[in-house]
């Protein structure tokens, strides 16, 4: 069950091919320098793989595969998070760790806000996840997940979100919706801009989005 209320939500979101089991991916997430506690049950995975019809009255409707896993993430403080996992196209997954993203605490909702000085911790977590999972592309953003790196407005699952279709050009066109972007070497190989941070297996792209309105809703 979702534990976050109100908004906006800060998201650490990344895209992966479904080349290994979700359980293996989740196990790796729990083996990072930043401690992540995961409240996972086997029936959640069963529900994900079974999916459900987008339109229950139409047997030919697209089938949705998604789940939500509650987390506790230990940055400089212990934060509640909901991890959403969605199959966005055949063999393509989007993972989104959502945090209460207002800059101030909201005690009546038991929500801990995220200070501007703490935003770099989420970029550092994104990089740690990349080093562990070697995902295709990942972002830190407010109310935007990594599917916004694609040039598409289609509802997923849709072939537009097949990760083989993602290009550095579409990422650059959409980059200013994000605080930070990490991209693997395969996609970034033709990107020659030197104003990037080189990682062992990819790059981190600096964006022009330094701050945004993060008042509660």
């Amino acid at each position: 069950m979702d534990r976050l209320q109100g908004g906006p939500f800060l998201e650490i979101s990344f895209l992966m091919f479904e080349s290994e089991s979700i359980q293996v991916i989740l196990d790796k997430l729990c083996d990072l320098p930043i401690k992540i506690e995961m409240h996972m049950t086997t029936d959640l995975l069963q529900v994900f793989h079974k999916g459900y019809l987008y339109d229950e009255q139409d047997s030919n409707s697209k089938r949705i595969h998604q789940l939500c896993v509650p987390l506790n993430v230990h940055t400089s403080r212990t934060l509640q998070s909901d991890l959403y996992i969605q199959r966005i196209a055949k063999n393509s997954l989007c993972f989104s760790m959502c945090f209460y993203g207002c800059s101030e605490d909201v005690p009546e909702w038991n929500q801990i806000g995220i200070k501007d000085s703490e935003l770099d911790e989420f970029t550092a977590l994104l990089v740690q996840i990349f080093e562990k999972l070697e995902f295709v592309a990942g972002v830190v953003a407010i109310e935007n997940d990594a599917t916004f790196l694609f040039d598409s407005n289609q509802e997923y699952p849709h072939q537009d979100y097949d990760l083989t279709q993602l290009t550095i050009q579409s990422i650059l066109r959409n980059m200013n919706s994000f605080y930070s972007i990490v991209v693997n070497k395969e996609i970034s190989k033709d990107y020659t801009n030197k104003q990037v941070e080189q990682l062992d297996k990819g790059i981190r792209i600096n964006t022009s989005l330094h701050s945004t309105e993060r008042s509660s809703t």
Side-chain angles (χ1 to χ4, degrees), residues 150-168:
F150 290 89
D151 288 327
S152 180
N153 293 317
Q154 296 289 337
E155 293 184 351
Y156 42 78
H158 193 277
Q159 62 183 9
D160 282 5
Y161 300 103
D162 188 315
L163 292 184
T164 61
Q165 305 296 319
L166 186 62
T167 65
I168 190 64

Side-chain angles (χ1 to χ4, degrees), residues 22-30 38 40 83 85 95:
I22 291 176
Q23 186 61 64
V24 169
I25 295 170
L26 295 180
D27 289 344
K28 289 181 179 179
L29 276 178
C30 292
M38 191 170 298
M40 182 67 180
L83 171 63
I85 306 172
F95 294 75

Side-chain angles (χ1 to χ4, degrees), residues 6-66:
F9 298 116
L10 178 73
E11 300 189 36
I12 296 177
S13 181
F14 53 94
L15 305 169
M16 292 190 67
F17 287 107
E18 199 171 353
S19 56
E20 55 186 359
S21 74
I22 291 176
Q23 186 61 64
V24 169
I25 295 170
L26 295 180
D27 289 344
K28 289 181 179 179
L29 276 178
C30 292
D31 188 33
L32 297 173
I34 291 179
K35 182 180 178 182
I36 295 178
E37 296 175 296
M38 191 170 298
H39 309 283
M40 182 67 180
T41 59
T42 55
D43 59 325
L44 283 177
L45 283 177
Q46 292 171 358
V47 169
F48 174 86
H49 289 297
K50 180 179 180 180
Y52 62 89
L53 292 176
Y54 179 78
D55 182 352
E56 293 183 354
Q57 306 303 317
D58 180 3
S59 60
N60 294 318
S61 175
K62 67 175 66 175
R63 185 165 287 273
I64 307 299
H65 298 269
Q66 63 181 16

Side-chain angles (χ1 to χ4, degrees), residues 62-86:
K62 67 175 66 175
R63 185 165 287 273
I64 307 299
H65 298 269
Q66 63 181 16
L67 64 84
C68 177
V69 183
L71 309 175
N72 288 328
V73 180
H74 297 263
T75 56
S76 56
R77 297 184 289 168
T78 299
L79 302 175
Q80 291 186 347
S81 175
D82 287 326
L83 171 63
Y84 294 92
I85 306 172
Q86 298 172 304

Side-chain angles (χ1 to χ4, degrees), residues 100-122:
Y100 183 68
C102 182
S103 57
E104 298 180 356
D105 297 346
V106 183
E108 60 268 30
W109 289 344
N110 194 30
Q111 304 293 332
I112 298 176
I114 296 171
K115 299 178 176 64
D116 287 342
S117 60
E118 295 176 307
L119 289 174
D120 285 347
E121 296 182 42
F122 294 87

